[in-house]
Amino acid sequence: TGAVGLYNIGLSCCLNSVLQVFLMNIYFTRILRRITVPPRAAQKRNVLYQMLLLLEKMQCGKQKAVSPMDLASCLSAYRVKLFATHDAAQLFLTLWNLMKMQMEKPELVKELTDLYTICIQEHLACQKCSLETKRKSSMLILPLSMLDSNSHMLKTLEDCLQHFFRPVELTDHNMCLCEQCGKRTPFLQSMKLVHLPHSLTIHLKRFCFEKSAYIHKLNNNLPFPQDLDFNVILTENQCQADNNEKAGWQYELFAVVAHSGSTSFGHYCAYIRSLTELKWYCFNDSHVCQVSWDDVKTTYGHSSLHLGETAYLLIYMKKH
Amino acid sequence: MAQWQEVQALPNARLKQIDQLYSMAALPMVVRQCLAAWIENQNWRQAAEPCSSHALMLFHSLLALLGEHLGSPGLGDEDFMLKHNLRKARRDLQEKFQKCPEDFANLVANLLQEEQRILRLEQARGQGDAAPAPSTPPQSDRQQQIQRRLAEFNTALQEAERAFRHLEDLQDSFDFCYKVYFQPGQARTSDPQYAQQIQSLQAKLQILDRQRQEVLAQMQQLLGRSETLLDFLQKELEAWKQRQKRSCLGAPTDTCLRPLETWFTELGQGLFQLLQLLRALGDLRQKVTYERDPLKEKTPHLEQRLRELLTYLLQSAFVVEQQPCMPNPCKRPLVLRTASKFSARARLLVRLHDRNHHMEAKIHIDRDPPKIKGFRRFNILTSSSKTLLAGDSPQDGLVCDFQYLTLKEQKDSRSGKSSKGASEGPLVVTEELHLITFTLAYAYCGLELELETSTLPFIIISNNNQLSSAWASILWFNMFSCEPKEQSFFSAPPPAPWPQLAEVLSWQFESVAERGLDQNHLLMLAKKLFGSKPSPKSTVSWHKFSKDSASGFSFWAWLDGTLGLLQEHLKQLWKDGLILGFVSRKQTEKLLKGKRTGTFLLRFSETVMGGITCSWVEHPESGPPAFPAVAPYTAAELASLALPDIIRDYQVLVEENIPENPLQFLYPDTPRDEAFGPYYSQRQDGNLTEQKYLKQRLIRVSSRQPNESWQTEEELEAATENLETLQLQPGELGTQQPGGLGMVQVTSGNQGMLQVVATSPGMLQPEGLGMLQTGDLRTLQTGSQDLEPPQPPQVGLGVSKVLQPGTGEQLVLHVVPNSQEMMQVGPGGLGTPKVLTSGLGMLQPALGTMEPPVVSQEQGTLQLESLPQGQEVLPSLEPHLGILEALEVVELMPNMDREQEELCPRLASNAALLDARDPFLPQPEDVALSPVSSLFTTDFPSLHIDDSDFQ
């Protein structure tokens, strides 16, 4: 099979899961395979090259699992510590940025950026004088809150997405300085979706600070669909895109990075749907097994199981 | 079953695949066969990893085992070929894989995997085939999934155990080397041999660490999969709970817990095994640990997660198997009566327990009472704790069965006596929901838990007459509450969507009489509730359903009355579809209009609670068709005479006409006797030689004026209200006066009519002539049984309260002894005919002396008395005592013969013997005066012989 495990080399389940999400993505590996091989001396510190080596090792098909030791030690040179627990979303960003930074061919940089970047237009409108400022911004991960503005649990992923794009009034402490009015005024902040990438990464903010600095994990049930159509979720004025762009906003679930345990300790595993075989696999470090959609659904979250697996990162892939 | 055995059992097509598999493989099948069990028990996949010493070890073990096998005495001469093949195989293997045992491990691992794949294919096909087979109960997709996943879980668990054993081996080997070679502090760092040893030690530690990681990863995977499995079980359990709920309401569903129990137990067993494994891992860590030991980091987390999973599994596995129920026949659980015994049972679906540890189960009632004013509190009088018993056989499972429980209201449950009355809580008793909670102190394998489960809410009544409305509440709650413990549900009960309500109502009929309500019934009920055709969105409020009694009783009370009538008297007819039941009067007319005269149907009365009526059609020579209906029979009437018998003998008396049975064809067009024949009660065979009594039969008759237009039922109902009801004088009916006559006061004389018909055996009813006896007529005695008639020879006819004067239908007693005499008592004289008939020989003179019936109009009572003539052959008449509906009829000595039949018509006309001056009857002043119809006093209806007697 195309699914090969990664040995845990000491609390590396998070790294392993994120790596699997990258390496099982054929659109990413197509880019990865075209990198220029760095000079020998630089090879050990080149994240992309180490990724490629790991991919080769995994795909030679001899073993059920390989060790990501070399890549891990390479990463440790960039302050991605070994033997330490990480946050999967954070690690995903770090890894991506490292790769982009070390990419030498500009066309590959563009491709990598295109593959992952979400474009959003932020609107800030002064409520007093209607002065509107727009700003385009791009992000790699859509960070979705599990709670609405009243701290009620949102029911589904679609709700979370809608909540993300809902305009927010900035009042009181959050008032901004209006150039036209010359003072701090209430603003209406809204976000419009401009562009969605081929590979869309969604971060469910399950770890949250609610009271004081105490972090806790939200285990609530939050179903996510296998198929996601942003045209259905967003209203006309939450988008800033032409029909051509919108036509491509049809997604299907590609991977789920799930976390089990609590904030103080835990374990990551990845559920990934092989893009070649169209089958779901569950990657628990070196242990890989084929699963079904029912298993993936178990990561919706469960109010009675606080230590069970819950989806943390969702990666959707554009349909053809 | 071992894998190789399964493989061998495959069908030929699959075996061919296996054959191909091995023909291309370097492992000869003969070796696979010979060492099947051993091969399957090794972790080849593990050994196939590079730099694993395990592969070499396995390879050599295999060769050694083969050698052993070759030398074993079990292989006789006849196995010469086998021996040869094995020897050759061993040589080949040794040659080929000596240098690369990992390849061999890989080869075997792949072969085993491929075998599994083929087995799975076959299994999937087998399931596909088995599904449409009608004999096996169809399993849902989810049930199949559960079974498949359980099997996979167990396989993975075994794999994890194998991996664990391998880890133990590795650790032992490392431990040994470490203790032997590692000597820190000695200046041997420069010793190259020592350095080499340390290096190999380091390598061993690497392998050990990797194996630890691997075992942990496997466990993570196992936990992940068991979460999915538990999810499936949870859904299946939820579905069972729904089924149980529906079954409580009377729905025909399967509430067997056995499959769930098997699945829960199997998963529980697996998880507890995993817990043991985790603990064993902890022990390994105690022996050898090192910096960044994954066991140290991960086992506590894994164990915590596993415990949580187990807790959740056990919590949900504790279920109420039998909801609280009084041992009552009406299949209505969840209604309990104070001071009556009831029982409830909980079961732990995970059948795992420690025989040495006694687990105590307790029950509590209303542990967290809702904050409702006036909410009654109860105590469970009997013992509320019990040791959980595992039945003698493991099949019984873990059950806490609480039987013979009784409830008693706490005296001080209401805050002071002043709170009674208006200031009481807003809920009436039958809307007050109570809960019983079971708790169980569970302990197994070091896991200690307090498990808890609650019954469905139930209602506590103190009197049986609250049962009906309590049951309505139970129906409503279980249909429309989404929160199983919502005790304050009735403070704001939601309205019922009609489709849901209709289904539940149908269950009521199904559970009582095995036949639910069909579309037409439901349509009629809906029209009754909504006044029009219901849409799926129509809803009924709780108030309208159970309380609104604008028409005298609520919808539910009416429906439940019908249910009661069905259950007691009409089960079979309803079950067999002879009762059309819920048909409105309008619809009745529509149905009957196009049918021939005498077509009738049976429908439940809409104006009488628990009443059934016959409507039939008559097409007069001119004018529109008429649709007469008899006043509804209620349980009281049906107790004396079953409905089929009423239908068989029913007669309408029209002045100057021969009484006839208008009920000829059951709608649509089944002849009456064909439809109801199987339900007629048998007319008993008398013992002819000993008969001293006349055969008797009770029939019902309606009378009407020839020119009288048919009253509709509603009109009749209205009329009833204006009439005084029958009054019985219990004293007169008592047993202390043998022969004392029942007395009935009939207020509406023009309709009352009493007839006694005695058919003579042998003559009229060659086949039997048993006296007609309805169930309740216990005191009626057939002639053959009662040979010693009490004195004086009188017939006491107690006519009962079931007579409904003014409703157009009366109890009629015919006495037709030998068809020679027929006595008819006209209306107004209902209750107490006393008939003395004379023997055949004396008949003639007796007739001569007969007096016409005398009716005392002023008194409104009619007294019948026999004439003294013909006393020597007077058959004795059994005095009727006590049972009101019963009647006694004289039976002639069994010496009649055929010729008598011819006499009948002639004799019949003046056979009635009436005497107004009966000394046993109450004095006039006791009697309510009433007008007596002119019908009776002036024109006595012509006598006739019941057609059916001449069958």
Side-chain angles (χ1 to χ4, degrees):
Chain A
T1 66
V4 179
L6 290 170
Y7 280 108
N8 191 314
I9 49 168
L11 301 182
S12 65
C13 55
C14 179
L15 177 66
N16 286 347
S17 299
V18 173
L19 281 178
Q20 292 285 9
V21 169
F22 275 116
L23 296 176
M24 288 294 286
N25 185 345
I26 51 173
Y27 304 102
F28 171 76
T29 54
R30 268 176 209 164
I31 300 173
L32 184 64
R33 285 179 194 285
R34 281 151 56 204
I35 59 161
T36 41
V37 176
R40 187 166 283 277
Q43 279 176 359
K44 279 208 158 173
R45 288 178 59 86
N46 189 306
V47 176
L48 279 166
Y49 182 66
Q50 291 300 333
M51 290 264 282
L52 184 60
L53 283 186
L54 186 64
L55 178 67
E56 293 295 332
K57 220 158 73 177
M58 285 165 82
Q59 295 203 333
C60 75
K62 286 268 169 66
Q63 287 160 283
K64 76 174 217 49
V66 299
S67 166
M69 196 60 197
D70 294 340
L71 176 62
S73 38
C74 163
L75 286 172
S76 65
Y78 300 97
R79 283 180 288 168
V80 179
K81 281 192 201 145
L82 264 175
F83 311 116
T85 47
H86 295 276
D87 176 272
Q90 194 59 48
L91 192 63
F92 181 92
L93 288 176
T94 312
L95 205 55
W96 192 89
N97 283 318
L98 277 172
M99 288 190 291
K100 188 188 166 198
M101 203 176 70
Q102 296 186 347
M103 209 156 257
E104 280 169 0
K105 297 181 188 167
E107 72 271 20
L108 288 186
V109 174
K110 186 178 179 308
E111 275 184 52
L112 185 68
T113 312
D114 286 351
L115 185 58
Y116 286 101
T117 317
I118 306 152
C119 293
I120 276 176
Q121 194 168 53
E122 271 182 83
H123 290 243
L124 266 177
C126 172
Q127 298 292 77
K128 285 258 155 50
C129 64
S130 322
L131 173 79
E132 195 178 26
T133 52
K134 295 178 195 170
R135 188 174 58 142
K136 279 213 171 176
S137 63
S138 50
M139 42 176 75
L140 284 174
I141 292 181
L142 267 188
L144 297 186
S145 170
M146 305 266 296
L147 306 165
D148 67 9
S149 41
N150 300 322
S151 293
H152 289 305
M153 289 292 164
L154 290 160
K155 293 278 186 312
T156 62
L157 179 72
E158 289 89 334
D159 288 348
C160 294
L161 283 166
Q162 277 166 354
H163 181 253
F164 182 83
F165 285 99
R166 195 161 292 153
V168 187
E169 271 190 67
L170 304 177
T171 52
D172 301 332
H173 294 300
N174 298 323
M175 287 197 295
C176 306
L177 183 73
C178 174
E179 290 169 12
Q180 203 162 297
C181 305
K183 60 174 181 180
R184 281 160 66 90
T185 56
F187 270 78
L188 188 73
Q189 184 189 39
S190 55
M191 284 198 258
K192 293 188 178 188
L193 187 58
V194 177
H195 170 74
L196 284 174
H198 197 93
S199 180
L200 170 68
T201 313
I202 293 172
H203 173 205
L204 297 176
K205 297 203 283 184
R206 284 195 181 268
F207 294 100
C208 71
F209 307 85
E210 207 170 11
K211 290 158 197 157
S212 67
Y214 170 71
I215 307 174
H216 71 277
K217 188 180 170 187
L218 303 171
N219 286 286
N220 296 67
N221 186 275
L222 188 99
F224 45 83
Q226 265 183 297
D227 296 294
L228 197 59
D229 183 353
F230 277 82
N231 293 312
V232 175
I233 294 166
L234 299 183
T235 60
E236 196 59 42
N237 50 11
Q238 285 170 330
C239 315
Q240 185 82 53
D242 57 19
N243 288 339
N244 205 11
E245 167 68 27
K246 280 187 183 173
W249 286 358
Q250 311 276 343
Y251 285 83
E252 60 187 335
L253 190 63
F254 159 65
V256 177
V257 174
H259 179 266
S260 56
S262 63
T263 42
S264 49
F265 60 81
H267 172 73
Y268 279 103
C269 66
Y271 291 87
I272 302 174
R273 186 163 179 263
S274 156
L275 292 168
T276 47
E277 297 168 281
L278 306 179
K279 286 179 195 158
W280 282 100
Y281 289 95
C282 178
F283 295 81
N284 264 298
D285 292 327
S286 55
H287 205 269
V288 184
C289 73
Q290 200 191 317
V291 295
S292 68
W293 171 239
D294 289 311
D295 295 280
V296 185
K297 279 202 290 194
T298 316
T299 67
Y300 283 172
H302 201 298
S303 48
S304 314
L305 291 175
H306 301 292
L307 304 175
E309 289 172 3
T310 45
Y312 188 57
L313 289 182
L314 300 172
I315 296 95
Y316 278 89
M317 205 61 86
K318 201 170 250 186
K319 284 186 193 170
H320 297 291
Chain B
M1 195 169 31
Q3 185 170 324
W4 186 246
Q5 270 173 297
E6 283 183 60
V7 166
Q8 284 170 313
L10 284 171
N12 281 335
R14 299 280 178 211
L15 277 181
K16 208 172 261 175
Q17 283 178 297
I18 298 282
D19 196 47
Q20 268 174 356
L21 181 66
Y22 276 89
S23 67
M24 293 185 299
L27 179 75
M29 206 193 267
V30 63
V31 178
R32 173 77 178 92
Q33 162 107 31
C34 179
L35 301 177
W38 182 82
I39 288 177
E40 284 162 32
N41 267 325
Q42 307 310 312
N43 195 341
W44 296 98
R45 188 58 71 200
Q46 188 77 49
E49 295 299 313
C51 53
S52 157
S53 57
H54 199 46
L56 189 65
M57 200 260 286
L58 282 182
F59 183 61
H60 283 299
S61 305
L62 179 111
L63 293 181
L65 281 172
L66 272 181
E68 250 174 59
H69 210 82
L70 283 167
S72 76
L75 291 175
D77 290 341
E78 65 268 31
D79 293 317
F80 178 68
M81 273 292 282
L82 176 66
K83 261 187 180 172
H84 170 80
N85 285 341
L86 278 178
R87 203 172 287 125
K88 178 174 181 300
R90 183 163 175 261
R91 219 169 31 236
D92 289 350
L93 287 176
Q94 198 161 12
E95 218 163 88
K96 196 164 178 190
F97 294 107
Q98 186 86 47
K99 295 232 170 67
C100 46
E102 291 89 3
D103 287 359
F104 180 70
N106 199 36
L107 166 83
V108 179
N110 286 339
L111 279 173
L112 290 178
Q113 194 178 331
E114 191 60 20
E115 282 177 13
Q116 275 165 10
R117 192 186 62 84
I118 293 171
L119 282 173
R120 267 204 305 275
L121 278 177
E122 180 57 25
Q123 229 169 2
R125 202 188 63 86
Q127 276 167 358
D129 282 355
S135 56
T136 53
Q139 272 197 324
S140 74
D141 194 34
R142 189 162 62 216
Q143 289 165 343
Q144 284 179 20
Q145 280 254 16
I146 288 172
Q147 272 163 355
R148 189 175 59 73
R149 279 175 182 272
L150 270 173
E152 281 174 7
F153 178 78
N154 283 327
T155 316
L157 189 62
Q158 280 166 20
E159 223 167 86
E161 279 177 338
R162 271 204 295 275
F164 173 79
R165 282 201 300 276
H166 181 53
L167 175 64
E168 275 183 322
D169 292 346
L170 288 176
Q171 179 162 324
D172 285 350
S173 135
F174 168 80
D175 206 19
F176 176 77
C177 294
Y178 179 77
K179 279 172 184 153
V180 171
Y181 298 120
F182 189 67
Q183 290 146 347
Q186 292 186 19
R188 292 185 60 183
T189 36
S190 53
D191 184 349
Q193 201 189 344
Y194 180 72
Q196 204 183 354
Q197 275 159 357
I198 292 300
Q199 209 173 3
S200 104
L201 207 52
Q202 183 64 46
K204 270 191 170 19
L205 182 60
Q206 290 300 342
I207 292 169
L208 179 66
D209 180 59
R210 178 165 290 186
Q211 184 61 18
R212 283 187 170 187
Q213 296 278 13
E214 168 66 22
V215 171
L216 287 172
Q218 270 188 26
M219 296 215 170
Q220 298 278 13
Q221 193 73 265
L222 260 170
L223 282 183
R225 299 296 68 75
S226 49
E227 268 177 39
T228 315
L229 190 47
L230 191 51
D231 235 37
F232 274 88
L233 287 187
Q234 205 62 36
K235 281 178 191 141
E236 200 58 40
L237 183 66
E238 218 32 67
W240 175 83
K241 283 184 179 165
Q242 281 305 319
R243 287 203 301 276
Q244 189 196 36
K245 211 165 159 180
R246 291 154 60 101
S247 147
C248 278
L249 302 188
T253 54
D254 174 24
T255 54
C256 177
L257 269 174
R258 189 48 62 81
L260 272 169
E261 192 180 36
T262 313
W263 296 331
F264 268 89
T265 306
E266 207 172 319
L267 182 59
Q269 215 155 17
L271 290 179
F272 273 115
Q273 228 166 313
L274 207 54
L275 190 64
Q276 303 284 25
L277 212 54
L278 268 176
R279 288 182 183 151
L281 275 179
D283 292 345
L284 286 187
R285 184 171 70 89
Q286 294 299 319
K287 288 182 195 150
V288 175
T289 188
Y290 45 91
E291 199 185 347
R292 290 171 196 144
D293 181 358
L295 292 185
K296 193 173 148 203
E297 297 289 338
K298 296 259 177 171
T299 36
H301 161 223
L302 271 172
E303 189 169 334
Q304 223 174 325
R305 192 174 155 196
L306 179 57
R307 276 168 174 274
E308 188 189 60
L309 211 58
L310 265 171
T311 307
Y312 181 49
L313 176 83
L314 287 161
Q315 269 308 354
S316 35
F318 194 42
V319 296
V320 178
E321 182 178 28
Q322 189 213 314
Q323 298 290 344
C325 182
M326 292 194 291
N328 61 4
C330 54
K331 298 176 192 160
R332 290 181 173 180
L334 297 170
V335 179
L336 307 179
R337 196 176 52 230
T338 47
S340 294
K341 290 187 170 55
F342 70 97
S343 59
R345 183 168 67 238
R347 179 183 286 271
L348 183 62
L349 296 175
V350 176
R351 221 166 35 211
L352 299 173
H353 72 120
D354 184 352
R355 285 223 173 253
N356 300 319
H357 181 96
H358 289 286
M359 292 187 278
E360 198 180 47
K362 283 186 184 156
I363 46 173
H364 320 262
I365 183 163
D366 296 324
R367 217 163 47 157
D368 310 303
K371 290 180 181 60
I372 299 172
K373 204 172 168 218
F375 188 80
R376 296 172 303 161
R377 302 300 309 277
F378 289 88
N379 289 329
I380 296 172
L381 283 190
T382 20
S383 163
S384 64
S385 78
K386 201 165 197 173
T387 301
L388 182 75
L389 287 182
D392 295 332
S393 78
Q395 296 301 314
D396 296 341
L398 299 177
V399 208
C400 18
D401 199 354
F402 286 89
Q403 288 177 331
Y404 313 115
L405 297 172
T406 46
L407 294 172
K408 188 172 181 355
E409 189 175 347
Q410 287 177 11
K411 281 273 185 273
D412 56 340
S413 65
R414 289 165 205 264
S415 50
K417 287 192 173 164
S418 58
S419 70
K420 288 215 169 185
S423 62
E424 241 170 65
L427 293 188
V428 295
V429 166
T430 54
E431 293 182 357
E432 197 181 274
L433 297 168
H434 297 268
L435 280 177
I436 283 181
T437 307
F438 290 78
T439 57
L440 174 66
Y442 185 77
Y444 185 66
C445 282
L447 190 73
E448 289 184 16
L449 294 170
E450 164 122 328
L451 304 180
E452 181 183 316
T453 186
S454 286
T455 62
L456 292 171
F458 52 87
I459 283 168
I460 304 174
I461 57 174
S462 47
N463 195 307
N464 268 348
N465 62 17
Q466 296 165 312
L467 212 135
S468 176
S469 53
W471 183 244
S473 304
I474 291 296
L475 292 180
W476 211 263
F477 177 87
N478 284 302
M479 269 187 288
F480 307 115
S481 171
C482 351
E483 167 50 53
K485 293 185 185 178
E486 195 182 359
Q487 280 176 278
S488 52
F489 175 79
F490 282 104
S491 47
W498 171 246
Q500 233 178 315
L501 182 61
E503 190 188 21
V504 173
L505 293 181
S506 177
W507 292 342
Q508 303 313 303
F509 285 83
E510 201 163 343
S511 78
V512 160
E514 296 171 54
R515 186 188 180 91
L517 299 174
D518 65 23
Q519 281 315 307
N520 293 328
H521 294 146
L522 293 173
L523 191 67
M524 181 269 185
L525 292 179
K527 281 184 177 165
K528 201 170 158 61
L529 277 171
F530 307 111
S532 63
K533 211 176 167 180
S535 80
K537 282 180 191 144
S538 309
T539 59
V540 193
S541 73
W542 169 239
H543 180 83
K544 180 158 190 195
F545 179 75
S546 72
K547 295 182 179 165
D548 185 10
S549 44
S551 55
F553 35 80
S554 69
F555 179 79
W556 167 250
W558 169 70
L559 205 65
D560 200 35
T562 307
L563 275 168
L565 185 74
L566 271 188
Q567 172 156 31
E568 272 178 58
H569 299 293
L570 303 171
K571 249 184 198 170
Q572 199 60 37
L573 291 185
W574 173 259
K575 182 184 170 191
D576 297 343
L578 293 168
I579 299 175
L580 223 47
F582 297 103
V583 195
S584 65
R585 171 163 285 274
K586 231 183 200 168
Q587 182 68 12
T588 303
E589 291 178 6
K590 217 158 123 193
L591 291 177
L592 292 177
K593 199 156 61 186
K595 299 293 170 188
R596 56 188 148 169
T597 296
T599 304
F600 67 102
L601 53 80
L602 298 171
R603 47 181 287 266
F604 299 124
S605 163
E606 287 183 70
T607 45
V608 172
M609 230 169 87
I612 186 165
T613 178
C614 300
S615 294
W616 68 93
V617 60
E618 281 181 5
H619 296 282
E621 278 162 28
S622 64
F627 304 98
V630 66
Y633 298 103
T634 60
E637 281 113 320
L638 296 183
S640 63
L641 195 55
L643 188 63
D645 294 325
I646 292 181
I647 290 168
R648 174 181 52 184
D649 295 331
Y650 180 71
Q651 295 189 348
V652 171
L653 302 182
V654 187
E655 202 181 340
E656 292 165 358
N657 275 333
I658 299 172
E660 56 179 14
N661 189 341
L663 311 176
Q664 294 301 324
F665 305 99
L666 179 65
Y667 178 85
D669 55 5
T670 319
R672 178 191 63 226
D673 291 338
E674 194 179 301
F676 291 95
Y679 310 96
Y680 294 158
S681 49
Q682 286 292 311
R683 295 180 184 182
Q684 289 172 1
D685 265 325
N687 183 342
L688 291 175
T689 59
E690 306 210 46
Q691 274 173 353
K692 287 187 178 170
Y693 295 107
L694 287 174
K695 290 290 175 193
Q696 61 147 3
R697 188 143 61 86
L698 185 62
I699 68 172
R700 288 186 178 275
V701 174
S702 300
S703 69
R704 59 171 164 173
Q705 304 279 7
N707 54 353
E708 183 184 16
S709 68
W710 285 101
Q711 290 172 294
T712 64
E713 189 188 342
E714 284 77 7
E715 287 165 337
L716 289 169
E717 289 298 325
T720 317
E721 286 172 18
N722 295 330
L723 294 168
E724 290 175 52
T725 48
L726 285 173
Q727 289 181 358
L728 293 168
Q729 304 282 321
E732 298 302 324
L733 296 165
T735 53
Q736 61 273 61
Q737 291 193 342
L741 297 173
M743 200 281 299
V744 180
Q745 299 168 4
V746 182
T747 50
S748 166
N750 66 338
Q751 285 156 344
M753 155 76 71
L754 195 66
Q755 283 186 329
V756 179
V757 180
T759 56
S760 88
M763 282 213 48
L764 307 175
Q765 298 242 315
E767 81 279 13
L769 314 166
M771 179 185 68
L772 189 69
Q773 262 192 322
T774 54
D776 273 353
L777 295 174
R778 267 172 246 106
T779 57
L780 274 185
Q781 296 180 3
T782 57
S784 56
Q785 286 166 342
D786 193 71
L787 303 172
E788 304 256 318
Q791 298 299 319
Q794 284 176 329
V795 179
L797 288 169
V799 177
S800 74
K801 58 187 183 284
V802 299
L803 279 181
Q804 294 195 352
T807 55
E809 190 277 330
Q810 296 87 27
L811 178 73
V812 175
L813 309 173
H814 283 282
V815 179
V816 188
N818 274 336
S819 308
Q820 290 163 350
E821 296 178 351
M822 173 162 181
M823 183 199 68
Q824 290 197 341
V825 179
L830 294 182
T832 58
K834 229 196 294 179
V835 182
L836 289 184
T837 52
S838 42
L840 270 185
M842 298 303 293
L843 192 60
Q844 218 53 36
L847 288 172
T849 58
M850 275 178 193
E851 292 177 8
V854 177
V855 173
S856 157
Q857 282 194 19
E858 292 78 27
Q859 293 177 0
T861 58
L862 184 74
Q863 297 163 359
L864 309 178
E865 200 172 281
S866 64
L867 291 174
Q869 283 88 352
Q871 271 173 348
E872 58 276 307
V873 278
L874 271 185
S876 53
L877 298 175
E878 185 66 10
H880 163 61
L881 310 170
I883 299 290
L884 300 177
E885 293 85 354
L887 72 158
E888 282 297 323
V889 180
V890 177
E891 181 184 313
L892 289 172
M893 294 299 283
N895 55 352
M896 334 125 182
D897 46 28
R898 281 246 151 226
E899 302 96 83
Q900 289 156 0
E901 194 179 355
E902 298 151 18
L903 294 172
C904 301
R906 223 163 14 93
L907 298 172
S909 60
N910 50 2
L913 309 171
L914 302 167
D915 189 339
R917 298 168 297 274
D918 189 302
F920 295 105
L921 281 177
Q923 293 308 299
E925 49 267 38
D926 297 340
V927 171
L929 297 181
S930 62
V932 173
S933 86
S934 56
L935 172 78
F936 186 72
T937 45
T938 54
D939 289 300
F940 196 76
S942 63
L943 298 174
H944 82 291
I945 289 148
D946 192 347
D947 284 347
S948 64
D949 291 336
F950 298 97
Q951 284 157 359

